[in-house]
Amino acid sequence: MSRTVLEAVGAARGHRGFRVSATLLSGFVLLALALLALATGKYPVSLADVADVLGHRLLGLPARAPATIDTVIMQVRLPRVVAALVVGAALSAAGATYQGLFRNPLVSPDILGVSAGAGLGAVLGIYLGLPVAPIQGLAFLGGLGAVAVVYGIGLAVRRQDPVLTLVLAGVAVGAVLGAGISLLKVLADPYNQLPAITFWLLGSLSSVSLGDVGAILPMMLLGLAPLVLLRWRMNLMSLGDEEARALGVETRVLRPLLIAGATLITAAAVSMTGVIGWIGLIVPHVARLLVGPDYRRLLPASLALGAGYLLAVDLIARTAATIEVPLGILTALVGAPFFLWLLAAGRRRIA
């Protein structure tokens, strides 16, 4: 008996050691990617200059780098790096949450019409000629409004399977919102408004500022809090409503709470960067292959992988060609073949 206990204790310590090692490794990789992104671009900057600027700005050390380099790092590249980390982590966490709640590996953060609603709000703002801040506000409200309509339809229909009802309502509402976007694109000025609408719908971090990140960060944290704190209950939610209730989980309360959190962070992300697809669909699959289906590990892994993935994609977007490639194009080019490989390998696994 004592030997069994000792083996269990040793296994627990081994798991804790693995988690600590994985956390340190992911933190080191993200730091290395961030430094590389700060140093790489059309205007080359050495890592020594990056360290000098960050040391001066963050620690008050004497400044040695020229003012031009300071401007490039602090005003151009640093906002993009921070935004990529935040948005990538948010979309990945939302995707992992939706896949668990709806028990479907094909679910992504826009399944309930979040991206379509945010897109319609932003397109409406561009069509009306509004400044950037109101456009982002309309996109955020549009994303939340779309999910509210979907959930209202789900409550009104009251089918036997609430998950299927929400998915079908999300598809229908998303189609209507997509039609609204298409109508506004037809009515928009083809020389000024239409290019802006098209570019926004493809996703980009080119115009993001630290102020934009600071504006959405509280909403990100508010939406992420229930996902992180209740991630162990998502293991039970993925079993189905009857099984989860039999194990003591009140699904009628927990599902709306988790959907609200995932929707909030998705709407906040899309309102700042535009529509960036495939991240919330692909990254949770990769995380599941690496750490397994347990949401106690899956959700933190999705956060880290999503942050690093979008940071790497944004680095490619602004360095691979003479012009900046929209992020939505690159994520589709990478995500679609990878997803086909997952299907061909028969590795579609859901918690």
Side-chain angles (χ1 to χ4, degrees), residues 7-332:
E7 290 177 351
V9 172
R13 289 178 177 175
H15 286 305
R16 286 196 296 269
F18 173 77
R19 288 197 295 268
V20 172
S21 300
T23 302
L24 292 176
L25 178 60
S26 61
F28 175 78
V29 172
L30 287 177
L31 178 60
L33 273 175
L35 292 176
L36 179 62
L38 290 174
T40 306
K42 302 300 182 184
Y43 187 92
V45 176
S46 67
L47 290 176
D49 289 333
V50 173
D52 179 76
V53 170
L54 294 180
H56 171 65
R57 291 283 190 156
L58 301 178
L59 303 177
L61 301 177
R64 299 184 181 88
T68 304
I69 293 179
D70 183 273
T71 301
V72 168
I73 292 176
M74 297 303 300
Q75 297 185 19
V76 179
R77 294 181 186 171
L78 183 61
R80 296 187 68 141
V81 169
V82 175
L85 293 172
V86 172
V87 172
L91 294 178
S92 301
T97 301
Y98 282 132
Q99 288 175 9
L101 289 177
F102 293 102
R103 305 189 299 278
N104 192 327
L106 302 179
V107 168
S108 61
D110 57 357
I111 187 64
L112 298 184
V114 185
S115 297
L120 181 59
V123 169
L124 179 61
I126 296 173
Y127 178 76
L128 296 176
L130 300 178
V132 175
I135 291 175
Q136 293 177 343
L138 283 175
F140 179 71
L141 294 176
L144 296 182
V147 176
V149 171
V150 170
Y151 212 84
I153 294 175
L155 292 177
V157 173
R158 295 184 182 276
R159 290 175 59 94
Q160 294 296 324
D161 189 348
V163 173
L164 179 61
T165 301
L166 286 177
V167 171
L168 295 178
V171 172
V173 171
V176 173
L177 296 174
I181 293 174
S182 299
L183 177 62
L184 289 176
K185 290 172 69 175
V186 171
L187 298 175
D189 179 7
Y191 299 103
N192 296 317
Q193 294 177 333
L194 186 57
I197 290 173
T198 303
F199 190 74
W200 192 93
L201 291 175
L202 291 175
S204 175
L205 297 174
S206 60
S207 60
V208 171
S209 66
L210 288 178
D212 295 331
V213 179
I216 71 165
L217 195 57
M219 292 176 286
M220 290 279 194
L221 296 176
L222 180 62
L224 192 60
L227 307 187
V228 173
L229 296 177
L230 300 173
R231 64 187 186 276
W232 64 276
R233 288 179 178 263
M234 280 194 278
N235 293 324
L236 304 179
M237 292 289 293
S238 63
L239 299 175
D241 285 9
E242 293 183 2
E243 292 82 355
R245 283 196 292 267
L247 294 172
V249 176
E250 184 53 61
T251 58
R252 295 177 184 177
V253 176
L254 188 60
R255 176 175 287 109
L257 178 61
L258 295 176
I259 288 178
T263 300
L264 184 61
I265 60 178
T266 303
V270 174
S271 69
M272 182 176 66
T273 64
V275 181
I276 304 176
W278 290 94
I279 295 178
L281 178 61
I282 293 299
V283 173
H285 281 280
V286 179
R288 196 172 288 111
L289 292 174
L290 293 176
V291 302
D294 189 344
Y295 272 86
R296 291 174 295 181
R297 298 188 299 270
L298 177 61
L299 192 64
S302 297
L303 286 167
L305 288 173
Y309 175 66
L310 186 55
L311 183 58
V313 169
D314 182 60
L315 179 60
I316 296 172
R318 58 186 175 87
T319 58
T322 56
I323 61 173
E324 181 171 330
V325 182
L327 294 177
I329 295 177
L330 288 179
T331 55

